[in-house]
Each structure stands twice: as C-alpha cells, then as structure tokens.
Amino acid sequence: IIVAVLGPVLGAASDTKGRRKKIFLVSLLIGALGCVFLGFTQSWIWFLLLFVIAKSAYSLSLVVYDSMLPDVTTDDRADQVSAQGYAWGYIGSCIPFILSLMLVLFYDKIGLTMKTAMGISFLLVAVWWIVMSLPLLKNYRQKHYQSVASGNNLAASFRRLKGVFSELKNNRKILFFLIAFFFYIDGVYTVIDMATAYGQALGLDSTGLLLALLVTQIVAFPSVLIFGRIVKKVSPEKIITVCIMAYFGIAVYAYWLDTQFDFWMLAVLVGMFQGTIQALSRSYFAKIIPAEKSGEYFGIYDICGKGASVIGTALVSFISQMTGSINIAVSALSVMFLVGLVLFRYSAKLNSVR
C-alpha cells in the first residue's frame, strides 16, 4: 500500500530535471539503514516496522531505477540492456546470499551466536547494496526530464501524475499492456512470494528452502542472458508470450506436485523464465512510453506489479483455506496467466499498428 501510494508520486517527482538520482539515493540509504537495524532490534514489533520501511524504500528505489532505462540506452538496445541488468543482478545477489547462509548455518563453528550471525548478515546485505550502487550513482546522467517552473514542485508532480492517468485513457496500447502486466506478473510475483509456504507444505526444511531459492537465482542468470541474445532476432512480444505460456504450464504442473523433487523441478523451471519476463516487460514498457515521463509511467507500472502480488497472494491463501490444498491454490494462478496472455497479445497488436 505504501509503495502503491508513494511510487507514482516519487516517480513523477523524479522526472524533474536533476531529481532522479537524488530520489534514488535517498530511497537507497533509507532501505540500507533499515536493513542494518533489522539485525539488531530486540522487539518483533520494531522488526516488523523496520522491515516495512526497508522493503518499501527498496521498492521505491526500483521505481526510480527502472525509469532510468531510457536514459542509459536506446530503444534498439533496451531489451539487451534490461536483460543484462536482471541477469547480473540475479547472479550478483547470490554472493551476499551465500555468505549470509554460511554465517547462519555455521555460526557456532566460527564462535558466533545466532543473533550475532543474523546481525552481520543484515549488515553485509546493506553494505553490498550500497557498494554495488556506487557505479550507477557515479555515472548516471538524466537525459530525459521535464522542466518545472519555480514554485511548489510537489504540486507540479501531482499535476503531471494526474495528466498521465488522463493520457492512459487515450493510449490503448499502454493501457492494455498495464492491465495485461497486472494479471501475468500477479502470477510471477505470487509464485516468488509463496514459494516458502509451498515448500514447507511439501516437507522442506529451512535449509532446503533457502537452497531451492538459490537454485532459482543461479538458473535465472544464464537463462536471461540467453533470451537477451535471442531477442536480437526474435521480437520481445514473442518472447514475453512464450514466458507467459511457460508460467501457465508451471501453474498447471503445480497441481501434481507432491514430492520435494517436484518442488526442486519447479524452482528450476521458474528460474528459466522469471528474470526474462521481468526484464523484457520492463524494456517493452520503456519503449512505448514517453521517455521524459518515464518516472511517472514506471510509478504506475510498479503499482501493477506490487499491487498484483498482494492480490495474488491473497487469492492463493483464500483458495488454499477453502479447498485445504495449496496445490489447487497455486494451480489457480493459471487463470491469471491466461487472462494476461490474451490481453498482452491484444496490446502487442495495438502496438504493431501504431
């Protein structure tokens, strides 16, 4: 809810000349500091509050980060650049993940307490987050922006945001893409968010779940790079279509999952398409929106992504409670992918005749 409210506003504000990097930096620092404090809080209430702050700041930083894409590349290279970003992000995140996992699993072997190991892990993630952002902060230059007359910049951001919502009514290719994205990314993020609960229902312990998530990250790395090369010869519309169809198949496959081996297979299959559908959806959207309004539009884009994940998770939880089967609940996501596929193909058709 926090991201859904603040995302479009900060996105609109970031379209102002010279603001994008500053807003990204503030979000980054708030998220990193929240991550550090997570490792040292004693109260579950404070932990929950800090988690909400850190996660919200992280998500808001991604709104601004995604809107930078038109500034760092051209339309003909956007798909490859977006794919490279996701690929290296996935494999890079494995480093602090593995280090933290080792600390938590073998803390007693190196003379630490679990509490200390967790604190170091959160600190490690925060430091990694900041350090890996330094090249971007040093080299990024905002090329596309909107000039604002002197006065209330916040009010100007709200006016521009209102204008974007008005524009969506008349720009059907963007509108239908966002609706399609809402449905199919719903399934993608729900699979990610519900993976832990699904694995536990199949009997995986905490270590097994963490390793399965690590496998997904590792598999995603070469998969995104491969699709990033294929997109040079095959249109992104076709590859996104393949990814949505693959997720439809994964959701149907989930109905028959009943062993830990099946869960590991699911982790591999998800890894093959997860990064690609995220990367190419981002670059596809970046190419059909006005570059000088990328912050405003990506703020709305993020509402579709983050809002959909909440609805998808609630849907799976509801069906699981009603049927008593998490398999049926997860397989029900196939309907979301099917609706998303139909709407995306219609959006792609509109885009092809622009």
Side-chain angles (χ1 to χ4, degrees):
I1 295 174
I2 293 173
V3 177
V5 172
L6 294 182
V9 177
L10 290 183
S14 73
D15 282 334
T16 304
K17 183 178 181 180
R19 293 290 178 83
R20 186 160 292 154
K21 188 191 293 188
K22 294 177 182 178
I23 294 175
F24 174 78
L25 178 59
V26 171
S27 300
L28 165 70
L29 292 177
I30 292 174
L33 286 173
C35 187
V36 171
F37 289 131
L38 279 173
F40 299 98
T41 182
Q42 303 293 320
S43 167
W44 69 267
I45 296 178
W46 278 106
F47 184 92
L48 183 61
L49 178 62
L50 287 169
F51 175 79
V52 170
I53 293 173
K55 184 66 182 292
S56 298
Y58 163 73
S59 298
L60 290 170
S61 74
L62 290 185
V63 173
V64 183
Y65 172 76
D66 287 342
S67 70
M68 292 177 178
L69 186 60
D71 289 326
V72 300
T73 187
T74 55
D75 281 357
D76 60 322
R77 296 184 63 248
D79 295 321
Q80 291 83 30
V81 171
S82 186
Q84 289 279 339
Y86 266 101
W88 290 104
Y90 272 118
I91 200 65
S93 66
C94 290
I95 297 174
F97 186 94
I98 292 173
L99 292 175
S100 299
L101 186 61
M102 293 299 101
L103 280 170
V104 172
L105 292 179
F106 305 110
Y107 64 92
D108 54 337
K109 300 289 193 304
I110 54 178
L112 298 176
T113 62
M114 171 60 83
K115 179 182 175 182
T116 302
M118 291 296 294
I120 295 174
S121 297
F122 280 116
L123 177 61
L124 176 64
V125 171
V127 171
W128 180 272
W129 187 3
I130 293 174
V131 171
M132 291 299 106
S133 300
L134 292 179
L136 174 64
L137 293 169
K138 179 181 178 181
N139 298 299
Y140 172 75
R141 298 291 182 273
Q142 185 174 355
K143 297 179 180 178
H144 302 95
Y145 53 83
Q146 298 187 69
S147 299
V148 178
S150 59
N152 193 326
N153 289 327
L154 182 60
S157 298
F158 276 107
R159 286 195 299 271
R160 292 203 304 267
L161 187 59
K162 181 180 178 181
V164 168
F165 279 108
S166 298
E167 291 173 12
L168 284 176
K169 299 177 183 178
N170 302 317
N171 196 324
R172 296 174 69 207
K173 69 174 183 288
I174 297 179
L175 177 62
F176 275 95
F177 172 79
L178 285 171
I179 298 173
F181 180 72
F182 178 88
F183 278 98
Y184 72 73
I185 210 67
D186 178 3
V188 173
Y189 286 142
T190 302
V191 168
I192 296 172
D193 293 340
M194 297 298 293
T196 301
Y198 202 8
Q200 288 176 337
L202 294 173
L204 276 178
D205 58 15
S206 298
T207 302
L209 289 170
L210 291 173
L211 291 175
L213 293 175
L214 180 61
V215 166
T216 300
Q217 301 283 96
I218 294 173
V219 172
F221 172 63
S223 299
V224 180
L225 291 179
I226 291 171
F227 278 112
R229 294 181 66 87
I230 294 175
V231 79
K232 295 179 181 179
K233 299 180 180 180
V234 180
S235 69
E237 291 91 342
K238 291 181 179 179
I239 296 180
I240 293 174
T241 298
V242 168
C243 290
I244 299 174
M245 293 173 64
Y247 263 102
F248 175 84
I250 289 171
V252 173
Y253 170 68
Y255 179 80
W256 286 278
L257 258 67
D258 60 1
T259 67
Q260 294 186 16
F261 175 78
D262 292 333
F263 183 80
W264 283 93
M265 285 298 299
L266 182 72
V268 172
L269 290 171
V270 167
M272 290 174 61
F273 299 100
Q274 177 177 294
T276 301
I277 198 170
Q278 292 174 306
L280 295 188
S281 293
R282 177 173 65 182
S283 57
Y284 182 87
F285 186 66
K287 289 185 288 186
I288 63 175
I289 62 174
E292 71 279 3
K293 298 181 180 180
S294 61
E296 299 165 23
Y297 276 96
F298 269 104
I300 300 171
Y301 176 92
D302 201 65
I303 290 179
C304 294
K306 296 300 183 294
S309 64
V310 173
I311 294 172
T313 302
L315 177 65
V316 169
S317 300
F318 175 76
I319 295 176
S320 178
Q321 290 294 321
M322 291 297 99
T323 64
S325 170
I326 194 169
N327 292 59
I328 295 176
V330 175
S331 62
L333 292 174
S334 59
V335 177
M336 309 299 289
F337 289 119
L338 185 60
V339 174
L341 176 62
V342 173
L343 291 171
F344 175 72
R345 292 309 306 167
Y346 181 67
S347 170
K349 182 180 179 179
L350 292 175
N351 193 40
S352 66
V353 296
R354 59 188 173 182

